[in-house]
Amino acid sequence: MSSVPHFPPPPPLPASSVKAIFSGDRGEFRGLVERGTGLELVTFGFYRFWLATDIRRHLWSHTSLDGDAPEYTGRGRELLIGFLFALAILVPIYLAYFLIGIEAERAKAFGSFPLFLFFYLFGQFAIYRARRYRLTRTVWRGVRFWMDGSGWVYAMRAAGWALLTGLTLGAVLPWREAALERYKMRHCHYGDLQGGFDGRGSELFQHGWKLWLIALSPVIVGLALFVMNAGHRLPAAQSRVFGLVILIWMVALPFVYGAFKATEWRWWISGIRFGEVSFESDLSSGALYGLYWKVIGWFVLVLLLFAGIIVACSFWIFGFGDLSHLGDRLRASTAMTVVFGIGYLGFILAVNIVLRVYLLRDVWARAAASATAFRLEAAANVAAKGELADALGEGFANGLDVVGF
């Protein structure tokens, strides 16, 4: 009897890959932010909800995979309503704490920790619910993303990890990020495709432990000098050494933080999956250095301009007038207060424009362009599923000043 020939199994087909493309125009985004920031000033900050919506629509619509860009369907009015609902909850809490402080300083001090813990948990709840809102307002190829799970469960997990992170001086931060991201992603869905996160804390720690040591270098050197001198005052030579360490640390900090954020982005993108669809990022560790230094440069320039205007106006108002009469002094002080207020608003608005252009748009553009999707065809026949989430979580995030895309 002739034997049946045995052939080795064919090698697996290589996973198809699609590179993400970001096509947004920087000048168009800057104009959008400048107009929106001006309207924020006119509307006493309430235009921020519509500006956030416009920013997301710009970023979403110019980030494409396989020729298709997601659509952001959120509305500024939804964010405003969510914010007002959040204020209805937060304001009584602030007021109660204020009244307790009036009644008894000791009770106020005792209530500080529970209040801090409450707002921390509330902030983490807001982060989770805000992400849920943004997902349900994101549509790609006619199918909506959505999210389930409990915001309070996430908040409790975040609080436990925050305690461990503080006790270990940040050493367990990579494992915290991995654990919280796994919880969020396994509750994320694209239609009937369930999300997941494959990134591990050990991977992030492996790439970031040197940055962690550099960030803690002043603490390490300070503790070493303290132990060497048995808790006594440092000699002049050692004080100069410690001062030099602080100076070098301050110069290195933008590089350290930029490298950490680039590493974190690359790790996060490479860990995301929806069903069989996975992602990888080739963002280099130095990809964000220039952005953080530009922000620092603009901040210093705007600060110097603000200081120059204040000094010039002070010299003009107080240096060229007869201030011997009380009325003249009051008018000069009032004029100086107006100048300072206008200058301060201008400073804040200018800084906000710089932050939104460099640390929002430019970081998004570089991170998005670094991503590659694999087996995208697995998302071709996805069935629509999930329900819209309300904007209450986004309102909490705004009420607690929690920043997010």
Side-chain angles (χ1 to χ4, degrees), residues 118-237:
F118 171 79
F119 279 114
Y120 178 81
L121 292 174
F122 218 47
Q124 295 301 317
F125 170 82
I127 288 173
Y128 191 88
R129 289 295 300 269
R131 183 169 182 171
R132 180 181 176 186
Y133 169 81
R134 290 191 293 270
L135 276 177
T136 61
R137 296 317 189 269
T138 302
V139 178
W140 186 65
R141 290 181 174 177
V143 178
R144 186 177 63 246
F145 290 84
W146 58 284
M147 190 175 183
D148 54 14
S150 170
W152 289 117
V153 171
Y154 174 83
M156 295 302 295
R157 289 169 179 253
W161 277 106
L163 179 61
L164 286 176
T165 302
L167 293 175
T168 60
L169 297 179
V172 301
L173 179 64
W175 286 271
R176 174 189 184 273
E177 296 298 307
L180 295 181
E181 197 59 40
R182 276 196 299 270
Y183 182 83
K184 286 186 286 189
M185 283 303 304
R186 73 167 174 259
H187 291 288
C188 293
H189 307 264
Y190 172 63
D192 59 358
L193 281 186
Q194 183 177 6
F197 187 74
D198 296 332
R200 292 180 295 176
S202 58
E203 296 172 345
L204 184 58
F205 181 80
Q206 182 181 354
H207 291 94
W209 68 271
K210 294 179 181 178
L211 303 175
W212 174 66
L213 286 179
I214 294 173
L216 286 180
S217 57
V219 177
I220 296 172
V221 173
L223 287 175
L225 293 175
F226 181 81
V227 172
M228 288 171 57
N229 291 276
H232 295 94
R233 185 176 178 179
L234 298 181

